[in-house]
Amino acid sequence: MISLFLVLAIGTCLTNSFVPEKEKDAKYWRDQAQQTLKNALRLQKLNTNVAKNVIIFLGDGMGVSTVTAARILKGQLQHNPGEETSLEMDKFPYVALSKTYNTNAQVPDSAGTATAFLCGVKTNEGTIGVSAATQRSQCSTAKGNEVTSILHWAKDAGKSVGIVTTTRVNHATPSAAYAHSAEREWYSDNEMSPEALRQGCKDIAYQLMHNIKDIEVIMGGGRKYMFPKNRTDVEYEMDEKSRGTRLDGLNLIDTWKSFKPKHKHSHYVWNRTELLTLDPHTVDYLLGLFEPGDLQYELNRNNVTDPSLSEMVEVAVKILSKNPKGFFLLVEGGRIDHGHHESKAKLALHETVEMDRAIEKAGAMTSLEDTLTIVTADHSHVFTFGGYTPRGNSIFGLAPMVSDTDNKPFTAILYGNGPGYKVIGGERENIYKVDYAHSNYQAQAAVPLRYETHGGEDVAVFAKGPMAHLLHGVHEQNYIAHVMGYAACVGANQDHCASASSAGGPSPGPLLLLLTLLPLGTLF
Ligand SMILES: *[C@@H]1O[C@H](CO)[C@@H](O)[C@H](O)[C@H]1NC(C)=O
Ligand SMILES: *[C@@H]1O[C@H](CO)[C@@H](O)[C@H](O)[C@H]1NC(C)=O
Ligand SMILES: *[C@@H]1O[C@H](CO)[C@@H](O)[C@H](O)[C@H]1NC(C)=O
Ligand SMILES: [Zn+2]
């Protein structure tokens, strides 16, 4: 009874400790809401332009709780309480929910989901660019079941295309843009079964260089999958794990170069210095592979050898926007997911904030008139934050009370399962003296697992630009690819564009519809 009283007293005391001065005035909230109302009323005039450009930002594992926590972190990095901050994605006018399940999985993986939002077809977990008729890891079941992506459709329509990721460029999300594979882990032939090799399936790095030979921009990690087995890495000469992996002896960087027209300028770079000294105006094709595997976490990034996600996006948009027919760009904040799997929430949230910077960068370089931008996630994580924390509480901080059951403090951030589960002397670890704000701190979990799991709830889809209003409710995830195709007049949805101005003027579709309906309306 006494301890319960103390808990409540402490909680109440801290909760009342801080309210920003301007927020005490009712007028502040009324003005703020009225301004939002004005902005919303303007949305009644729909943007039905043709999307010359399409950019999709994919936060791997960026569930809604991650978005909220990253927003607070962004504000706190600017020395504000945090909750009132707006992420760039928060400013997008249209938001929908995406149902992320795979055809055979309630809680999905990144391969099945990437196939959904890039190729427009839901499929089985672990498979890439193939329909659900394919069984995972069964090479022979992929044949004839290939599905193509929005990147492919955009390329066919004469647009420039690009892939930028913080993971390996042959990792699950980016690979659905160009590959067809019964197994997401077939990074190079070294990871494939003898049976799959015998049946003629190709590894994903090989497919990156051979399937669509003229992808203008490819940036991320994954160098080792491009080089023959045991070839020393250019950056980590002493590290065996960074060496080349390929059994077929191919040097896929050479392959990449050999497919580029001689009169075009193609550049392969492996470090940030080289990337940032390139003049994008003179670059036609860019391949940037900055690590042997995934890129480092943004918080641990070596700023001499590795570019940030926003730096890569800036270069990519400069190169791609030279095409008068426009471009398609896939940007993946791919290591939000990895931070969560390790239960290192600080790493995951800094990855999210960096992706938001990249969204800001791309927004400043493109126009709402001709560029559809979508921000979404493939799936969520069992990441949560709560505990009645007071306004402005560090997002990595403690709840304002101890548990009324084991009398120990707890952090606001927790995981449903994962490696942070720790029992010491038969009890939950007391984190009182633990540095829970450290970037490698693993937040506590209810169930021990070496690798925290994905979450199964819907994720958000934020959209702005032409046809963004088509993302407006609770959608199946594969619908996203269809919206991108429709907006850009590529793939199966080109018919509605036939009458639209090829110069990117407004489509007459809705206007015609309105004119047809008006007389009817007046009659009845
Ligand atoms: C690669 O190197 C490792 C050890 O450095 C060795 O065991 C292995 O046989 C080598 N493989 C090839 C294909 O040369
Ligand atoms: C970056 O790559 C270029 C080309 O290989 C090399 O000359 C340069 O030394 C590298 N810079 C760093 C900082 O590693
Ligand atoms: C790079 O990192 C070093 C060490 O953390 C820091 O002192 C420097 O300001 C950074 N430079 C840039 C351009 O971010
Ligand atoms: Zn994952």
Side-chain angles (χ1 to χ4, degrees):
M1 202 57 206
I2 290 172
S3 70
L4 178 67
F5 170 76
L6 275 177
V7 164
L8 289 176
I10 293 168
T12 313
C13 161
L14 285 177
T15 305
N16 290 336
S17 65
F18 172 73
V19 177
E21 209 48 43
K22 65 180 180 194
E23 293 184 21
K24 291 179 182 168
D25 186 351
K27 185 173 182 303
Y28 169 80
W29 292 108
R30 292 194 184 110
D31 290 351
Q32 186 263 4
Q34 287 295 320
Q35 188 54 50
T36 308
L37 189 58
K38 268 188 204 141
N39 296 345
L41 287 166
R42 275 205 289 272
L43 291 177
Q44 289 177 5
K45 190 169 174 293
L46 299 179
N47 180 346
T48 56
N49 294 350
V50 172
K52 176 182 161 194
N53 312 313
V54 176
I55 309 178
I56 180 167
F57 285 90
L58 194 284
D60 196 313
M62 187 183 70
V64 171
S65 53
T66 298
V67 173
T68 311
R71 173 192 305 142
I72 295 172
L73 172 59
K74 180 185 170 186
Q76 294 186 344
L77 290 171
Q78 296 162 350
H79 309 292
N80 293 318
E83 300 81 3
E84 68 298 323
T85 302
S86 286
L87 291 166
E88 283 305 310
M89 63 186 101
D90 293 342
K91 300 173 188 166
F92 285 31
Y94 296 96
V95 181
L97 290 178
S98 163
K99 297 162 66 180
T100 64
Y101 68 94
N102 296 147
T103 43
N104 65 343
Q106 187 174 68
V107 177
D109 94 316
S110 294
T113 53
T115 305
F117 63 78
L118 290 175
C119 304
V121 176
K122 281 216 183 206
T123 191
N124 294 331
E125 63 181 340
T127 68
I128 284 168
V130 290
S131 74
T134 301
Q135 275 177 279
R136 182 168 186 174
S137 301
Q138 302 301 308
C139 165
S140 61
T141 64
K143 293 207 178 68
N145 294 319
E146 294 87 353
V147 294
T148 57
S149 76
I150 171 81
L151 183 139
H152 199 116
W153 313 336
K155 184 90 261 194
D156 284 350
K159 294 184 188 296
S160 290
V161 297
I163 294 166
V164 174
T165 179
T166 50
T167 64
R168 288 155 266 186
V169 292
N170 48 351
H171 203 252
T173 306
S175 62
Y178 57 81
H180 313 283
S181 182
E183 175 55 62
R184 59 177 282 178
E185 286 178 21
W186 289 346
Y187 297 117
S188 73
D189 55 354
N190 184 51
E191 287 75 31
M192 294 175 70
S193 64
E195 188 198 21
L197 288 172
R198 214 169 37 241
Q199 291 176 347
C201 279
K202 293 293 183 192
D203 65 87
I204 296 170
Y206 181 96
Q207 292 194 46
L208 171 60
M209 302 312 181
H210 291 81
N211 287 6
I212 305 171
K213 296 192 178 65
D214 49 354
I215 298 176
E216 278 79 2
V217 174
I218 302 170
M219 274 189 272
R223 246 174 1 229
K224 65 179 173 182
Y225 304 106
M226 310 300 161
F227 293 108
K229 183 111 183 151
N230 280 358
R231 178 165 148 172
T232 308
D233 184 69
V234 63
E235 187 178 351
Y236 304 96
E237 288 172 15
M238 305 310 282
D239 182 29
E240 287 187 23
K241 286 202 190 107
S242 298
R243 292 184 188 169
T245 65
R246 303 200 63 80
L247 303 175
D248 59 13
L250 287 177
N251 175 331
L252 288 180
I253 309 296
D254 289 345
T255 306
W256 176 82
K257 280 183 192 147
S258 73
F259 288 145
K260 301 297 169 290
K262 289 287 167 285
H263 63 283
K264 298 275 188 174
H265 296 282
S266 40
H267 292 267
Y268 165 66
V269 298
W270 64 267
N271 62 54
R272 177 179 183 263
T273 317
E274 235 186 327
L275 176 72
L276 298 186
T277 49
L278 281 180
D279 176 5
H281 301 288
T282 65
V283 178
D284 298 304
Y285 297 97
L286 173 63
L287 174 61
L289 299 175
F290 304 103
E291 284 288 314
D294 299 327
L295 301 194
Q296 304 291 327
Y297 286 112
E298 174 61 21
L299 261 189
N300 304 335
R301 184 167 59 86
N302 175 331
N303 63 15
V304 176
T305 53
D306 297 351
S308 66
L309 184 59
S310 47
E311 287 169 342
M312 292 193 285
V313 165
E314 179 169 6
V315 175
V317 172
K318 279 182 183 160
I319 293 174
L320 298 174
S321 359
K322 290 186 294 182
N323 186 336
K325 290 186 172 167
F327 66 85
F328 167 79
L329 174 61
L330 165 66
V331 180
E332 187 196 19
R335 304 212 66 205
I336 300 167
D337 179 69
H338 298 172
H340 280 326
H341 279 307
E342 291 190 67
S343 292
K344 295 177 179 172
K346 191 166 188 174
L347 295 179
L349 295 184
H350 276 269
E351 293 296 303
T352 312
V353 170
E354 175 56 26
M355 190 176 88
D356 201 59
R357 280 188 207 113
I359 296 167
E360 180 176 19
K361 182 56 79 182
M365 299 172 74
T366 55
S367 159
L368 282 177
E369 293 303 308
D370 66 3
T371 304
L372 170 67
T373 306
I374 293 175
V375 179
T376 189
D378 44 1
H379 56 74
S380 188
H381 272 269
V382 292
F383 164 84
T384 184
F385 75 99
Y388 301 118
T389 43
R391 181 70 184 275
N393 201 58
S394 165
I395 190 61
F396 305 115
L398 295 178
M401 66 280 215
V402 296
S403 161
D404 61 2
T405 305
D406 70 8
N407 292 313
K408 295 191 180 77
F410 59 100
T411 52
I413 286 176
L414 294 168
Y415 288 92
N417 58 49
Y421 176 94
K422 221 178 264 178
V423 171
I424 293 176
E427 292 182 41
R428 183 170 71 90
E429 182 187 25
N430 192 335
I431 54 167
Y432 181 62
K433 286 189 174 151
V434 173
D435 182 6
Y436 43 79
H438 193 277
S439 41
N440 285 332
Y441 175 68
Q442 294 178 303
Q444 292 186 332
V447 170
L449 270 188
R450 275 201 296 262
Y451 208 52
E452 177 263 9
T453 73
H454 296 171
E457 79 277 11
D458 299 347
V459 296
V461 191
F462 306 84
K464 67 174 181 181
M467 299 290 174
H469 53 276
L470 298 180
L471 291 156
H472 65 96
V474 181
H475 303 298
E476 292 287 359
Q477 189 166 46
N478 59 306
Y479 172 65
I480 296 170
H482 294 256
V483 170
M484 293 191 286
Y486 184 89
C489 296
V490 302
N493 276 117
Q494 296 181 21
D495 293 352
H496 80 103
C497 310
S499 50
S501 152
S502 54
S507 149
L511 189 64
L512 283 180
L513 190 70
L514 195 67
L515 291 176
T516 326
L517 287 178
L518 267 181
L520 282 173
T522 41
L523 268 177
F524 294 102

